[in-house]
Amino acid sequence: MSKIKYELIKNNNDDENIRLGKLITNHGTFETPMFMPVGTLANVKTLMPEELKACGSAVVLSNTYHLWLRPGEDIVNKAGGLNKFMNYDGPTLTDSGGFQVFSLARPKDITEEGVAFKSHIDGKKLFLTPEKSIEIQNKLDSDIAMSFDECAPYPATREYIENSMRRTLRWAKRGKDVFNNPNQSLFGIVQGGEFEDLRKESAIETVKMDFDGYSIGGTSVGEPKDVMYNMISYATKYLPKDKPRYLMGVGEPIDLLEGVSRGIDMFDCVLPTRLARHGNCFTRHGRINIKNSKYKEDFSPIDETCDCYTCKNFTKAYVRHLIAAGEVNGGRLLSIHNIRFLIKEMEEIRESIKDDKFLEYKENFIRNYENRH
């Protein structure tokens, strides 16, 4: 058992920021760029591990905060770690709990020591520190653990972002100092809001701590798309080329392309399953709502180009019927499709980089996606 390794396979001839790589883990080797489904409570909602594998899934995420509350990190540890607990034989990643904590905490509850907040389940008072977050993740025994950071809101003043970013740096060091799982890798998180100089400082200082990989945080929190893309660019230019780069919480099809354009290797988002539960799905011609009456007698697949279980076996009319009737399998079938859609997009992106045709692929994809039905 060992820590993850990243190998750069090649850069796209048109732009050296665009990269094809390999992530070598204890549970297999996988090509990047990749999209990672989110299994918040050690479960990607409504899907079985075998179904994830059939979608081409590699790394699956779980949430430190939620697993801390239910069932508790000690139970997962006694089960043999997260992989065995959820019976997923691919690599796993746990976030730090920071995003959930800050959505529950008030600004005055964030101190140098940690964050005080109330449980979303029973209102119990909780206190999470960088050390506690790492301790929980060490016990969860995921392949990749994340540093505890402050996910600052947007918009926020420069003063707030500067103080928050530097606190995140101090928390990163505190977490790294107590990290003690030799089989687990630890990623540092770059913050700094929309400010280029603060992103630069955060990236440079985080890299000095020599983490196993680096994440870009504080994006997809309500900022305009051009601001988010700048945030990514401000950070990636200062990250090492021999370690993976992970953009947290981003899963819109076009955002994946824009992230790859700026040197990102790994993405995650709850979007595919969340959309599915509300009857929404990705297609090559944009997102559709299957509940729309025009699909009532549409006996074609959700997406003619998709090779997922749902598209190979069922029609829009049938899936619409399940969703309208409140049948659980409606959300399941759309979840399978949405996850496969994003993973397949990443497969095509990797092929386009191999062939030095990424920019052409990106242009065609966006043109089709914005040409809505």
Side-chain angles (χ1 to χ4, degrees):
M1 301 291 281
S2 60
K3 293 179 178 290
I4 66 161
K5 293 183 177 66
Y6 174 82
E7 288 184 8
L8 178 64
I9 297 174
K10 77 181 294 280
N11 294 106
N12 191 275
N13 281 347
D14 298 315
D15 187 338
E16 65 175 14
N17 289 319
I18 301 160
R19 45 195 246 155
L20 179 74
K22 284 194 300 188
L23 193 69
I24 303 163
T25 79
N26 292 320
H27 295 91
T29 298
F30 306 91
E31 287 192 342
T32 61
M34 64 163 65
F35 176 79
M36 307 180 289
V38 176
T40 301
L41 282 157
N43 168 62
V44 176
K45 288 189 186 299
T46 75
L47 268 64
M48 293 292 103
E50 296 78 11
E51 291 170 322
L52 285 174
K53 285 290 184 179
C55 288
S57 171
V59 183
V60 168
L61 269 71
S62 285
N63 183 270
T64 295
Y65 163 72
H66 287 285
L67 292 175
W68 177 35
L69 299 189
R70 294 183 298 193
E73 67 274 20
D74 289 328
I75 289 177
V76 177
N77 187 255
K78 286 177 184 175
L82 186 57
N83 294 81
K84 288 188 177 178
F85 185 59
M86 65 189 288
N87 192 32
Y88 184 72
D89 65 0
T92 56
L93 184 153
T94 45
D95 62 17
S96 68
F99 183 81
Q100 288 71 30
V101 166
F102 293 110
S103 67
L104 296 168
R106 297 167 295 181
K108 73 181 185 64
D109 297 323
I110 303 168
T111 65
E112 189 64 28
E113 182 57 27
V115 186
F117 60 101
K118 291 181 180 179
S119 164
H120 75 289
I121 299 171
D122 57 12
K124 179 182 176 182
K125 290 183 179 179
L126 300 169
F127 192 67
L128 192 58
T129 66
E131 292 84 359
K132 182 64 177 176
S133 174
I134 293 298
E135 177 193 333
I136 296 166
Q137 292 183 81
N138 282 167
K139 288 183 177 179
L140 294 174
D141 198 31
S142 53
D143 290 84
I144 302 169
M146 303 300 300
S147 296
F148 187 62
D149 65 322
E150 179 180 352
C151 184
Y154 181 91
T157 65
R158 179 186 170 87
E159 180 184 18
Y160 184 99
I161 295 294
E162 189 168 358
N163 290 333
S164 170
M165 179 271 288
R166 292 191 177 137
R167 183 187 294 121
T168 288
L169 289 172
R170 294 190 293 272
W171 284 358
K173 184 180 186 307
R174 282 168 55 187
K176 195 168 189 293
D177 286 345
V178 300
F179 183 79
N180 65 358
N181 186 333
N183 300 320
Q184 192 175 47
S185 299
L186 181 62
F187 281 26
I189 301 178
V190 176
Q191 290 288 354
E194 63 186 299
F195 304 100
E196 183 171 8
D197 60 324
L198 297 184
R199 285 278 172 183
K200 176 181 178 180
E201 178 183 343
S202 178
I204 290 172
E205 294 303 317
T206 304
V207 169
K208 284 180 183 176
M209 296 184 218
D210 192 27
F211 286 96
D212 301 306
Y214 297 94
S215 300
I216 297 167
T219 65
S220 201
V221 291
E223 75 280 4
K225 294 292 187 184
D226 60 330
V227 172
M228 179 174 77
Y229 301 152
N230 285 337
M231 288 176 176
I232 301 168
S233 298
Y234 294 157
T236 51
K237 66 175 76 172
Y238 301 106
L239 298 179
K241 291 181 168 55
D242 62 346
K243 291 187 177 179
R245 304 162 177 174
Y246 162 33
L247 181 61
M248 305 171 73
V250 171
E252 285 280 2
I254 291 177
D255 291 345
L256 300 182
L257 289 161
E258 297 293 350
V260 170
S261 298
R262 292 160 174 81
I264 298 297
D265 306 303
M266 304 161 68
F267 303 82
D268 84 283
C269 195
V270 298
L271 195 62
T273 51
R274 180 174 289 168
L275 287 176
R277 293 195 298 277
H278 295 92
N280 290 283
C281 44
F282 300 122
T283 78
R284 292 285 166 168
H285 297 286
R287 194 192 296 181
I288 66 169
N289 186 335
I290 204 73
K291 292 182 286 188
N292 192 306
S293 61
K294 70 180 179 179
Y295 301 119
K296 192 171 185 177
E297 297 184 22
D298 187 333
F299 303 110
S300 65
I302 291 169
D303 189 320
E304 299 277 1
T305 67
C306 183
D307 60 2
C308 77
Y309 170 79
T310 303
C311 288
K312 287 193 291 188
N313 292 283
F314 302 100
T315 65
K316 294 189 188 80
Y318 179 69
V319 178
R320 181 190 183 278
H321 155 66
L322 294 182
I323 293 288
E327 288 287 338
V328 172
N329 273 351
R332 271 176 43 75
L333 290 174
L334 288 185
S335 292
I336 288 169
H337 167 75
N338 283 346
I339 287 175
R340 176 57 190 157
F341 184 92
L342 296 183
I343 290 174
K344 188 169 190 286
E345 179 187 352
M346 302 309 288
E347 291 172 355
E348 292 170 356
I349 285 171
R350 294 196 296 268
E351 285 302 312
S352 74
I353 298 173
K354 288 176 186 175
D355 297 336
D356 290 309
K357 293 181 178 178
F358 172 77
L359 297 180
E360 179 184 335
Y361 173 82
K362 176 184 172 185
E363 182 181 335
N364 289 335
F365 186 100
I366 292 174
R367 185 190 310 115
N368 289 327
Y369 196 77
E370 292 181 340
N371 179 25
R372 299 181 183 278
H373 289 300

PDB file of all heavy atoms in Angstrom, residues 278-290:
ATOM      1  N   HIS A 278     -34.806  15.447  -9.749  1.00  0.00           N
ATOM      2  CA  HIS A 278     -35.829  16.432 -10.117  1.00  0.00           C
ATOM      3  C   HIS A 278     -36.224  16.336 -11.594  1.00  0.00           C
ATOM      4  O   HIS A 278     -36.848  17.245 -12.147  1.00  0.00           O
ATOM      5  CB  HIS A 278     -35.325  17.843  -9.786  1.00  0.00           C
ATOM      6  CG  HIS A 278     -35.141  18.071  -8.312  1.00  0.00           C
ATOM      7  ND1 HIS A 278     -33.936  17.847  -7.668  1.00  0.00           N
ATOM      8  CD2 HIS A 278     -36.024  18.446  -7.359  1.00  0.00           C
ATOM      9  CE1 HIS A 278     -34.076  18.116  -6.384  1.00  0.00           C
ATOM     10  NE2 HIS A 278     -35.334  18.464  -6.166  1.00  0.00           N
ATOM     11  N   GLY A 279     -35.818  15.227 -12.239  1.00  0.00           N
ATOM     12  CA  GLY A 279     -36.246  14.988 -13.611  1.00  0.00           C
ATOM     13  C   GLY A 279     -35.427  15.694 -14.671  1.00  0.00           C
ATOM     14  O   GLY A 279     -35.847  15.776 -15.830  1.00  0.00           O
ATOM     15  N   ASN A 280     -34.242  16.194 -14.298  1.00  0.00           N
ATOM     16  CA  ASN A 280     -33.406  16.907 -15.264  1.00  0.00           C
ATOM     17  C   ASN A 280     -32.249  16.024 -15.727  1.00  0.00           C
ATOM     18  O   ASN A 280     -31.679  15.253 -14.939  1.00  0.00           O
ATOM     19  CB  ASN A 280     -32.854  18.185 -14.647  1.00  0.00           C
ATOM     20  CG  ASN A 280     -33.951  19.214 -14.431  1.00  0.00           C
ATOM     21  OD1 ASN A 280     -34.388  19.867 -15.362  1.00  0.00           O
ATOM     22  ND2 ASN A 280     -34.415  19.330 -13.184  1.00  0.00           N
ATOM     23  N   CYS A 281     -31.860  16.174 -16.980  1.00  0.00           N
ATOM     24  CA  CYS A 281     -30.763  15.345 -17.485  1.00  0.00           C
ATOM     25  C   CYS A 281     -29.966  16.081 -18.556  1.00  0.00           C
ATOM     26  O   CYS A 281     -30.463  16.970 -19.237  1.00  0.00           O
ATOM     27  CB  CYS A 281     -31.288  14.018 -18.028  1.00  0.00           C
ATOM     28  SG  CYS A 281     -32.754  14.135 -19.051  1.00  0.00           S
ATOM     29  N   PHE A 282     -28.709  15.657 -18.673  1.00  0.00           N
ATOM     30  CA  PHE A 282     -27.809  16.208 -19.678  1.00  0.00           C
ATOM     31  C   PHE A 282     -28.061  15.523 -21.018  1.00  0.00           C
ATOM     32  O   PHE A 282     -28.330  14.320 -21.069  1.00  0.00           O
ATOM     33  CB  PHE A 282     -26.347  15.968 -19.294  1.00  0.00           C
ATOM     34  CG  PHE A 282     -25.929  16.566 -17.990  1.00  0.00           C
ATOM     35  CD1 PHE A 282     -25.413  15.764 -16.979  1.00  0.00           C
ATOM     36  CD2 PHE A 282     -26.025  17.929 -17.760  1.00  0.00           C
ATOM     37  CE1 PHE A 282     -25.005  16.305 -15.774  1.00  0.00           C
ATOM     38  CE2 PHE A 282     -25.633  18.490 -16.551  1.00  0.00           C
ATOM     39  CZ  PHE A 282     -25.119  17.673 -15.558  1.00  0.00           C
ATOM     40  N   THR A 283     -27.953  16.304 -22.097  1.00  0.00           N
ATOM     41  CA  THR A 283     -27.917  15.729 -23.445  1.00  0.00           C
ATOM     42  C   THR A 283     -26.876  16.512 -24.243  1.00  0.00           C
ATOM     43  O   THR A 283     -26.398  17.566 -23.799  1.00  0.00           O
ATOM     44  CB  THR A 283     -29.277  15.833 -24.179  1.00  0.00           C
ATOM     45  OG1 THR A 283     -29.447  17.172 -24.665  1.00  0.00           O
ATOM     46  CG2 THR A 283     -30.436  15.454 -23.277  1.00  0.00           C
ATOM     47  N   ARG A 284     -26.566  16.016 -25.425  1.00  0.00           N
ATOM     48  CA  ARG A 284     -25.603  16.712 -26.284  1.00  0.00           C
ATOM     49  C   ARG A 284     -26.099  18.090 -26.702  1.00  0.00           C
ATOM     50  O   ARG A 284     -25.321  18.934 -27.121  1.00  0.00           O
ATOM     51  CB  ARG A 284     -25.333  15.889 -27.553  1.00  0.00           C
ATOM     52  CG  ARG A 284     -24.592  14.604 -27.297  1.00  0.00           C
ATOM     53  CD  ARG A 284     -23.127  14.834 -27.024  1.00  0.00           C
ATOM     54  NE  ARG A 284     -22.501  13.647 -26.463  1.00  0.00           N
ATOM     55  CZ  ARG A 284     -21.196  13.478 -26.345  1.00  0.00           C
ATOM     56  NH1 ARG A 284     -20.377  14.441 -26.737  1.00  0.00           N
ATOM     57  NH2 ARG A 284     -20.703  12.376 -25.831  1.00  0.00           N
ATOM     58  N   HIS A 285     -27.405  18.285 -26.576  1.00  0.00           N
ATOM     59  CA  HIS A 285     -27.988  19.575 -26.968  1.00  0.00           C
ATOM     60  C   HIS A 285     -28.511  20.325 -25.746  1.00  0.00           C
ATOM     61  O   HIS A 285     -29.546  20.988 -25.812  1.00  0.00           O
ATOM     62  CB  HIS A 285     -29.086  19.356 -27.997  1.00  0.00           C
ATOM     63  CG  HIS A 285     -28.586  18.759 -29.277  1.00  0.00           C
ATOM     64  ND1 HIS A 285     -27.871  19.483 -30.204  1.00  0.00           N
ATOM     65  CD2 HIS A 285     -28.665  17.491 -29.754  1.00  0.00           C
ATOM     66  CE1 HIS A 285     -27.539  18.701 -31.210  1.00  0.00           C
ATOM     67  NE2 HIS A 285     -28.010  17.490 -30.967  1.00  0.00           N
ATOM     68  N   GLY A 286     -27.785  20.213 -24.644  1.00  0.00           N
ATOM     69  CA  GLY A 286     -28.155  20.945 -23.447  1.00  0.00           C
ATOM     70  C   GLY A 286     -28.970  20.123 -22.469  1.00  0.00           C
ATOM     71  O   GLY A 286     -29.332  18.970 -22.731  1.00  0.00           O
ATOM     72  N   ARG A 287     -29.267  20.742 -21.346  1.00  0.00           N
ATOM     73  CA  ARG A 287     -30.010  20.073 -20.295  1.00  0.00           C
ATOM     74  C   ARG A 287     -31.510  20.096 -20.620  1.00  0.00           C
ATOM     75  O   ARG A 287     -32.017  21.100 -21.110  1.00  0.00           O
ATOM     76  CB  ARG A 287     -29.755  20.804 -18.976  1.00  0.00           C
ATOM     77  CG  ARG A 287     -30.196  20.044 -17.739  1.00  0.00           C
ATOM     78  CD  ARG A 287     -30.194  20.939 -16.518  1.00  0.00           C
ATOM     79  NE  ARG A 287     -28.866  21.418 -16.165  1.00  0.00           N
ATOM     80  CZ  ARG A 287     -28.636  22.196 -15.120  1.00  0.00           C
ATOM     81  NH1 ARG A 287     -29.641  22.621 -14.365  1.00  0.00           N
ATOM     82  NH2 ARG A 287     -27.407  22.593 -14.842  1.00  0.00           N
ATOM     83  N   ILE A 288     -32.195  18.998 -20.348  1.00  0.00           N
ATOM     84  CA  ILE A 288     -33.647  18.952 -20.551  1.00  0.00           C
ATOM     85  C   ILE A 288     -34.346  18.539 -19.261  1.00  0.00           C
ATOM     86  O   ILE A 288     -33.753  17.885 -18.395  1.00  0.00           O
ATOM     87  CB  ILE A 288     -34.054  17.997 -21.691  1.00  0.00           C
ATOM     88  CG1 ILE A 288     -33.721  16.540 -21.335  1.00  0.00           C
ATOM     89  CG2 ILE A 288     -33.408  18.403 -23.004  1.00  0.00           C
ATOM     90  CD1 ILE A 288     -34.322  15.521 -22.295  1.00  0.00           C
ATOM     91  N   ASN A 289     -35.612  18.920 -19.145  1.00  0.00           N
ATOM     92  CA  ASN A 289     -36.460  18.471 -18.046  1.00  0.00           C
ATOM     93  C   ASN A 289     -37.412  17.427 -18.605  1.00  0.00           C
ATOM     94  O   ASN A 289     -38.302  17.736 -19.401  1.00  0.00           O
ATOM     95  CB  ASN A 289     -37.233  19.652 -17.450  1.00  0.00           C
ATOM     96  CG  ASN A 289     -38.011  19.245 -16.203  1.00  0.00           C
ATOM     97  OD1 ASN A 289     -38.361  18.083 -16.018  1.00  0.00           O
ATOM     98  ND2 ASN A 289     -38.275  20.215 -15.347  1.00  0.00           N
ATOM     99  N   ILE A 290     -37.222  16.183 -18.182  1.00  0.00           N
ATOM    100  CA  ILE A 290     -37.981  15.063 -18.739  1.00  0.00           C
ATOM    101  C   ILE A 290     -39.463  15.151 -18.383  1.00  0.00           C
ATOM    102  O   ILE A 290     -40.312  14.482 -18.999  1.00  0.00           O
ATOM    103  CB  ILE A 290     -37.382  13.716 -18.250  1.00  0.00           C
ATOM    104  CG1 ILE A 290     -37.717  12.569 -19.206  1.00  0.00           C
ATOM    105  CG2 ILE A 290     -37.837  13.389 -16.840  1.00  0.00           C
ATOM    106  CD1 ILE A 290     -36.953  12.609 -20.484  1.00  0.00           C
TER     107      ILE A 290
END
